[in-house]
Amino acid sequence: DHPAAQNAVILIGGPEAYSWNKLVETTGQVLGQTLPVNYVAVGDPVPLLPESMAPLLVSMEHYESDIDMRETSARFGIEPTSVLAFGEQFFGRAVEAA
């Protein structure tokens, strides 16, 4: 409902770019455990995901973009959420300070 968003293309990113490994590591940190990682070759089926997801996953593996959120943040008065903060909110658990 923000007037500046009407008919606009808005790129959305976070405060920093993350690798798949960093996402898994951070999620494990929030959950308080090390998560197992099983690798598959690019383009191979991923267990528990529909095969129709393969082209999307391939494109995500070959495309990396760091989206600068400064302009969007200022324009809409928002602050990007880190993966750690999102994980804490999503799983309802705060990481204890070391």
Side-chain angles (χ1 to χ4, degrees), residues 11-62:
L11 298 177
I12 299 174
E16 59 185 286
Y18 292 92
S19 68
W20 291 113
N21 285 334
K22 185 63 176 173
L23 291 172
V24 171
E25 178 187 315
T26 302
T27 301
Q29 182 182 0
V30 171
L31 296 174
Q33 60 186 349
T34 300
L35 300 178
V37 175
N38 297 308
Y39 295 93
V40 297
V42 174
D44 281 0
V46 177
L48 304 177
L49 289 181
E51 285 191 35
S52 61
M53 293 290 295
L56 174 63
L57 295 174
V58 168
S59 69
M60 292 171 71
E61 190 64 31
H62 291 289

Side-chain angles (χ1 to χ4, degrees), residues 2 72-79:
H2 195 291
T72 302
S73 295
R75 179 184 229 182
F76 295 103
I78 59 161
E79 191 63 36

